[in-house]
Each structure stands twice: as C-alpha cells, then as structure tokens.
C-alpha cells in the first residue's frame, strides 16, 4: 500500500455514512463503500430496521448495488471499505462476491461492546448440526439431490 490517500478517503466516507445512518435513525452504525479503479461504484448503510430485512447489512446492500451497476454477480477488481469488521453473513457475502481487498475500521470486539455481538454465530457454526441452539432437521435429501444431479448435467449453467 504505497498511496494511502485513496484508501483513507474511501474509509472516511464509510465512517461518515455510518455516523449519518445513526443520526438519521435509519439503522445501525454500519456502512460500506465499494470501489473499482479508484471510482466509487456503490455505497450501503445498514437498513435492517428501515426495510425490516435482517440481511440488509451495509455490506450486503453495497454488494447488491455494485453488482447491479456492473451487471455482474462478482466484484473482481473491486475493493470494499467497511466501517466495521464484517459479521459472518457479510464476510460470507464478500467472499462470494470476490472483491480484491477488504478494508475495515471498527473491530468485531468494538461492535460487541455496543451489543452487536456475533460471537454466538461463530460458536454455533463450529457445532455439529444436532448440537446447535436452533433446532435443525434434514428432510427429503434424496428428492432434493435431483436438482444437484441436473446441475451437474446442465449445459446452460453459469458456473460461479
């Protein structure tokens, strides 16, 4: 990282957006900025309570907007600036989107200190399914495998 001026500028924007989101009462104190070739593609703020959507975290909102703008399901060559270290869901979405880099400001410990604690999710993910707190049951695997078999044989699929 030779020239930090752009990185600092984009992170400051993510931080400012997170502050504005708190001040307006629109959602939690989180924001994300997605950049490609030094240009801002998309921004996102936490919209969970505004949209009654538990998946509307800032990173997911920004990823959706950036992918729509690029007309692509991947963010190759992009950087994502997060006002806070991504939660498990957002980190998974970021990995699926495949940007080149992630930058973050606040840590997951900072988030836990204000009652945005994802530790229980990390813990649950490590447990065998039958030991998780959320009762989870497998049903109709044999029937469901048909979709996977058809996927393997499909000549019209787009691999991702």
């Amino acid at each position: 990282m030779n020239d930090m001026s752009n990185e600092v500028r984009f992170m400051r924007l993510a931080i400012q957006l997170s502050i504005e989101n708190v001040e307006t009462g629109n959602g939690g104190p989180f924001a994300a900025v997605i950049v490609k070739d030094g240009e801002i593609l998309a921004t996102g703020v936490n919209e969970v309570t505004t949209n009654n959507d538990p998946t509307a975290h800032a990173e997911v909102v920004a990823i959706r907007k950036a992918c729509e703008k690029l007309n692509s399901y991947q963010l190759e060559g992009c950087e994502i600036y997060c006002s806070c270290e991504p939660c498990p869901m957002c980190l998974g979405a970021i990995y699926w989107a495949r940007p080149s880099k992630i930058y973050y400001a606040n840590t997951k410990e900072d988030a836990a200190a204000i009652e945005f604690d994802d530790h229980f999710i990390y813990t649950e993910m490590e447990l065998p399914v039958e030991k998780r707190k959320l009762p989870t049951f497998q049903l109709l695997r044999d029937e469901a495998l048909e979709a996977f078999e058809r996927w393997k044989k499909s000549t019209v699929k787009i691999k991702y």
Side-chain angles (χ1 to χ4, degrees):
M1 288 186 265
N2 298 336
D3 179 14
M4 286 300 291
S5 61
N6 277 339
E7 288 87 348
V8 169
R9 182 169 59 96
F10 297 135
M11 184 57 76
R12 283 190 174 138
L13 175 58
I15 292 167
Q16 184 58 41
L17 290 170
S18 71
I19 293 168
E20 289 172 8
N21 209 45
V22 172
E23 295 299 316
T24 60
N26 287 330
F30 306 99
V33 175
I34 298 178
V35 175
K36 184 168 188 172
D37 300 325
E39 298 294 322
I40 296 170
L41 280 180
T43 63
V45 294
N46 181 283
E47 299 176 358
V48 170
T49 57
T50 304
N51 293 334
N52 294 319
D53 180 353
T55 68
H57 289 202
E59 297 89 339
V60 172
V61 170
I63 288 168
R64 289 173 180 161
K65 290 179 181 178
C67 285
E68 185 175 341
K69 189 169 186 178
L70 291 172
N71 195 30
S72 175
Y73 52 87
Q74 294 185 335
L75 297 175
E76 292 176 13
C78 296
E79 300 170 347
I80 184 164
Y81 295 80
C82 309
S83 64
C84 185
E85 186 175 358
C87 75
M89 177 185 70
C90 292
L91 188 59
I94 290 167
Y95 270 91
W96 279 113
R98 296 181 175 89
S100 311
K101 294 179 186 170
I102 305 170
Y103 297 92
Y104 67 92
N106 291 318
T107 66
K108 60 185 175 186
E109 291 80 15
D110 296 329
I114 60 165
E115 300 182 2
F116 287 94
D117 191 353
D118 298 320
H119 179 73
F120 78 98
I121 296 174
Y122 289 110
T123 302
E124 285 285 296
M125 289 170 59
E126 294 295 320
L127 293 174
V129 172
E130 64 276 1
K131 293 191 177 190
R132 294 181 184 164
K133 289 181 178 49
L134 180 63
T136 305
F137 308 95
Q138 185 178 28
L139 291 173
L140 303 177
R141 178 176 180 255
D142 291 340
E143 291 179 34
L145 283 172
E146 182 177 341
F148 286 12
E149 290 301 320
R150 289 183 185 213
W151 174 259
K152 284 193 319 191
K153 296 173 186 172
S154 176
T155 59
V156 296
K157 66 184 170 193
I158 298 172
K159 290 187 176 184
Y160 58 97

